[in-house]
Amino acid sequence: MSTKPLYLGPRLKRIRRELGLTQQAMADELGISPSYIALIERNQRPLTADLLLRLARAYKLDMANLASDERDDYARRLTDALRDPIFNDIDLPALEVSDVAASFPGVTEALLRLYGAWQREQQALAEQRSAVPGTGASDPVGEARRFVAARRNYFPAIDAKAEELSDEIAKAGGAAEWLRLRGVRVRFLPPDVMMDAVRRYDRHNEQLLIDDTLSPSGRAWQLMQHISYTALRGEIAGVIRGESFASETAAQLVRRALAGYAAAALVMPYDRFARAVDARRYDIEALSGQFGASFEQVAHRLTTLNRPGQERVPFFFIRVDTAGNVSKRLDGAGFPFAAHGGGCPLWSVHECFRTPGEIVTQWVELPDGQRFFSLARTVTSGGGGFGRARWTRAIALACAAEHAPRLVYAAGADPKAVEATPIGVTCRLCHRAQCTARAEPPIGREILPDDYRRGAEPFSFAES
């Protein structure tokens, strides 16, 4: 056996956790104090020959494997990791790498764990991209969302023109009358005549046809959508002029997003809406009544209030169905919702389907300590007649905790003192060990066998 001291702290800690033992339990079985176990695990004391023998006998461990010097193994693993091309431009002498592994095993373990997580995540994302149909592995939905996010979901030219048109429409007595003055007749027709369309523009007869089963806010929205595609065509084209998209689908999705933005700006002009938001303290239902818009339309419009000098609370917005599919996502608050895969089941956006139509609020805290306030509610689309398909989705808004007291939903609360639900981005990226709601282990962590111990959580994790 080697005569040099054996510092096997991380290895001893892994063994103890794999056996499901506390430091106290292991100390009792080995005839030493728990504090001495803690010192060994932190590499502040070496593992003596006598203790090594007791350890091997007590837990029937292979003596040769247990006694092997872990420092050489750390140095090798760290050297292998640092060969990755991402580190090519950094001068990393072998002696320095060896010194780090020998002198700072805890830091080495942390670096190896971080590198392992990064490597596995890259592999998972690569596999996901390779599954996208098409040789270019294009993601038009993601491309459109990135386009909007890069501009903070604020398009000043569209807002300015929409405010001007909104005044004209109000003076004319409404959108239908404004269109009539420009030679377009608005007609509301039954679904069978509309042939499954909710809006159709008949250019030959200069008629705008709209499904008569839509709600008042739905009718108004379709009128404004038509005005967006016609009267704001130049402003929309100006936003995407000179842009290059990977596919025609991505270009159409961006154009559709901009038309929706313009419609919201027509229904809820920036200055008037921003003043109302302050007066109503972000009460979405009250704002819906004031502007004749739906809950979803108001929630969406709240994410666009980013005019320099006139910004309001920055929000993250998401719309999901009961299966967890994300059909709309806008991030102005830095809320790290997973772009791929399922979100955290502990977030209330997935629970509000149980209380349809009610606003559910929640304080949440991420693993890094960031706190957010969220509100969620279900919204219903479709229907309008017996036998017509109807579907329910959930809408959620989230803002940084420090902004929450500005909202009527969190009036008087102290963001630092309230109890928050611990959530993660997604199970694959969340390293919270004590989570009974976990669906799968995180990228970069190996799970422990459950032959001898099964915890309350679905998985127990190895150290690296």
Side-chain angles (χ1 to χ4, degrees):
M1 188 181 299
S2 173
T3 57
K4 64 182 179 180
L6 287 176
Y7 289 90
L8 306 178
R11 183 175 299 179
L12 179 65
K13 190 174 183 180
R14 280 202 300 274
I15 291 170
R16 179 176 60 78
R17 290 190 172 180
E18 286 172 1
L19 293 170
L21 299 173
T22 63
Q23 290 181 338
Q24 178 70 58
M26 177 172 272
D28 289 344
E29 292 181 1
L30 296 178
I32 58 177
S33 68
S35 60
Y36 190 56
I37 289 285
L39 289 170
I40 294 173
E41 289 187 350
R42 292 199 297 268
N43 271 352
Q44 293 177 348
R45 292 289 187 278
L47 197 65
T48 65
D50 176 64
L51 190 55
L52 190 63
L53 284 169
R54 277 189 270 174
L55 193 64
R57 288 170 182 165
Y59 305 115
K60 296 179 174 59
L61 301 174
D62 187 306
M63 189 77 164
N65 289 337
L66 188 60
S68 62
D69 194 340
E70 197 161 37
R71 289 175 295 186
D72 292 338
D73 181 57
Y74 268 148
R76 178 189 57 76
R77 291 168 60 199
L78 187 58
T79 299
D80 289 343
L82 294 174
R83 287 198 184 103
D84 194 287
I86 197 172
F87 304 117
N88 277 350
D89 60 337
I90 305 175
D91 184 25
L92 298 166
L95 185 59
E96 288 187 12
V97 174
S98 180
D99 284 345
V100 169
S103 304
F104 306 100
V107 173
T108 303
E109 186 74 24
L111 291 173
L112 289 171
R113 187 180 300 177
L114 186 62
Y115 177 74
W118 177 84
Q119 194 176 42
R120 289 178 174 86
E121 182 183 1
Q122 295 305 301
Q123 182 180 354
L125 291 176
E127 290 171 354
Q128 187 176 62
R129 285 193 292 269
S130 67
V132 177
T135 56
S138 174
D139 177 12
V141 173
E143 186 176 6
R145 287 175 180 168
R146 288 191 294 272
F147 179 90
V148 174
R151 290 150 184 83
R152 299 180 63 234
N153 195 25
Y154 174 61
F155 302 94
I158 293 177
D159 264 313
K161 182 64 174 179
E163 284 192 290
E164 178 186 321
L165 286 177
S166 180
D167 289 340
E168 290 183 13
I169 290 168
K171 289 176 183 176
E177 184 61 18
W178 185 86
L179 286 168
R180 188 192 66 79
L181 293 173
R182 283 151 184 80
V184 178
R185 180 188 178 195
V186 177
R187 299 181 65 193
F188 298 97
L189 301 173
D192 57 332
V193 178
M194 292 296 295
M195 299 175 62
D196 294 328
V198 294
R199 184 190 75 247
R200 183 164 63 87
Y201 180 43
D202 179 357
R203 283 192 175 190
H204 179 70
N205 295 306
E206 287 294 318
Q207 293 184 129
L208 178 60
L209 312 177
I210 294 177
D211 186 337
D212 67 0
T213 65
L214 292 176
S215 65
S217 63
R219 291 187 181 194
W221 185 259
Q222 294 304 325
L223 285 168
M224 294 308 188
Q225 283 261 289
H226 174 76
I227 294 173
S228 297
Y229 278 120
T230 53
L232 282 95
R233 182 186 301 273
E235 284 70 26
I236 292 173
V239 172
I240 59 178
R241 186 174 295 120
E243 296 292 332
S244 177
F245 298 100
S247 67
E248 183 58 28
T249 296
Q252 289 299 336
L253 287 173
V254 169
R255 190 165 175 272
R256 177 182 293 189
L258 294 175
Y261 183 101
L266 287 167
V267 174
M268 297 163 275
Y270 196 104
D271 283 339
R272 190 155 61 92
F273 183 69
R275 290 195 300 270
V277 164
D278 292 338
R280 304 277 186 175
R281 299 193 64 190
Y282 295 83
D283 188 329
I284 298 176
E285 291 172 313
L287 292 166
S288 297
Q290 181 175 343
F291 288 90
S294 70
F295 185 93
E296 179 178 346
Q297 290 162 7
V298 172
H300 190 168
R301 183 58 169 156
L302 286 173
T303 69
T304 70
L305 301 181
N306 298 311
R307 179 179 291 173
Q310 299 182 46
E311 301 95 335
R312 296 310 193 267
V313 170
F315 284 105
F316 170 87
F317 171 100
I318 196 169
R319 184 179 70 189
V320 300
D321 63 19
T322 52
N325 298 306
V326 178
S327 53
K328 191 182 291 186
R329 181 177 183 272
L330 298 159
D331 188 9
F335 187 72
F337 187 86
H340 303 287
C344 181
L346 300 178
W347 188 24
S348 61
V349 68
H350 305 292
E351 292 291 323
C352 67
F353 290 102
R354 298 183 180 182
T355 53
E358 294 183 15
I359 293 177
V360 178
T361 63
Q362 185 183 33
W363 297 86
V364 298
E365 182 174 308
L366 294 165
D368 63 0
Q370 289 187 85
R371 286 192 163 204
F372 291 85
F373 177 78
S374 80
L375 59 99
R377 202 201 83 169
T378 58
V379 296
T380 303
S381 302
F386 180 75
R388 299 193 69 189
R390 186 187 304 270
W391 54 94
T392 300
R393 299 186 180 98
I395 298 292
L397 285 175
C399 68
E402 61 264 27
H403 297 303
R406 297 172 61 183
L407 280 56
V408 67
Y409 309 101
D414 180 355
K416 296 180 180 178
V418 294
E419 185 176 350
T421 302
I423 69 168
V425 179
T426 179
C427 290
R428 297 294 280 155
L429 296 177
C430 178
H431 289 263
R432 291 187 192 274
Q434 288 74 41
C435 179
T436 56
R438 178 178 292 283
E440 52 188 344
I443 294 171
R445 298 292 292 275
E446 302 296 337
I447 66 170
L448 296 174
D450 59 0
D451 303 44
Y452 302 106
R453 180 182 182 275
R454 175 67 161 83
E457 300 81 18
F459 307 100
S460 296
F461 308 137
E463 292 301 296
S464 61

